[in-house]
């Protein structure tokens, strides 16, 4: 994640405000949330002060610890009409693979789904921990080839293929060709 100074990345202030809001809503201390997410208290303090620069894994861990969809931590107030041009939008990068995910649409209040555009290059797979209970992921492959799914149940997908699987179990994505892209819809129970 970058600071958003060019308008194409998620400002740290979005994440900081969301973390403070959701931690207060959950009634958790800084120490308790850090412990539940498995991160250092100092890291969480920096994120809430908008001085930290989290990877996607850290934000997912915090979302799971708070019991909220990932998008709640990265969404911005949306205007009546939203257009996100290719290559723009709030983008998060994985720490241990080339995965980049751009939030296209966060589910509004009462709707528990988020839409992402994902991009991945061959190399290290994107290993994902389980999301909040009841999560389901839906993938539609746009370009390239992707090996995806829950551990032990991965399937190779090509352009136009659709797949859904439980997102509340460990799962992964691995690009088998350069420039592999896909649309992912996260459905939360």
């Amino acid at each position: 994640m970058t600071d958003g100074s060019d308008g194409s990345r998620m400002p740290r202030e979005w994440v900081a405000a969301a973390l403070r809001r959701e931690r207060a809503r959950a009634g958790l201390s800084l120490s308790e949330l850090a412990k539940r997410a498995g991160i250092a208290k100092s890291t969480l303090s920096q994120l809430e002060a908008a001085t930290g620069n989290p990877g996607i894994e850290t934000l997912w861990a915090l979302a799971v610890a708070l019991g909220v969809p990932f998008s709640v931590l990265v969404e911005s107030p949306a205007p009546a009409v939203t257009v996100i041009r290719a290559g723009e939008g709030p983008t998060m990068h994985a720490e241990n693979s080339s995965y980049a995910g751009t939030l296209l649409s966060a589910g509004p209040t009462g709707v528990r789904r988020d839409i992402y555009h994902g991009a991945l290059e061959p190399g290290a797979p994107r290993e994902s921990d389980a999301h909040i209970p009841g999560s389901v992921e839906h993938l539609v492959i746009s370009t390239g080839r992707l090996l995806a799914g829950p551990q032990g149940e991965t399937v190779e997908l090509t352009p136009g293929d659709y797949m859904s699987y439980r997102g509340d179990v460990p799962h992964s994505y691995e690009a088998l060709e350069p420039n592999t892209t896909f649309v992912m819809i996260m459905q939360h129970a």
Side-chain angles (χ1 to χ4, degrees):
M1 182 174 74
T2 63
D3 65 6
S5 60
D6 64 0
S8 66
R9 301 289 187 246
M10 175 181 23
R12 293 176 187 165
E13 291 77 20
W14 294 359
V15 172
L19 282 170
R20 290 189 304 267
R21 177 188 70 235
E22 293 303 317
R23 184 170 62 79
R25 181 197 54 76
L28 297 174
S29 68
L30 201 67
S31 297
E32 182 61 24
L33 178 55
K35 180 180 173 183
R36 289 183 183 190
I39 65 170
K41 180 180 173 184
S42 60
T43 299
L44 180 56
S45 178
Q46 289 173 347
L47 294 177
E48 286 195 3
T51 59
N53 193 20
I56 194 170
E57 292 82 0
T58 300
L59 291 175
W60 278 112
L62 286 164
V64 169
L66 287 164
V68 299
F70 176 79
S71 63
V72 167
L73 300 183
V74 298
E75 68 187 336
S76 67
V81 174
T82 302
V83 175
I84 300 175
R85 303 282 180 203
E88 296 179 356
T91 302
M92 296 75 55
H93 296 272
E95 295 170 356
N96 298 316
S97 75
S98 66
Y99 176 78
T102 301
L103 178 64
L104 301 177
S105 175
T109 303
V111 176
R112 298 186 50 105
R113 68 91 187 112
D114 308 316
I115 303 172
Y116 297 88
H117 179 267
L120 190 59
E121 295 297 325
R126 163 72 178 112
E127 301 289 342
S128 183
D129 291 330
H131 305 311
I132 60 176
S135 296
V136 176
E137 292 192 7
H138 303 266
L139 298 177
V140 178
I141 307 308
S142 304
T143 61
R145 291 184 312 135
L146 186 71
L147 186 63
Q151 288 180 353
E153 298 180 66
T154 57
V155 175
E156 184 176 328
L157 304 167
T158 59
D161 288 350
Y162 163 81
M163 175 185 195
S164 70
Y165 53 88
R166 290 181 52 194
D168 58 1
V169 297
H171 52 280
S172 65
Y173 321 93
E174 181 178 358
L176 302 176
E177 288 182 5
N179 302 313
T180 296
T181 61
F182 52 94
V183 173
M184 177 175 50
I185 300 170
M186 293 283 299
Q187 172 185 316
H188 309 285

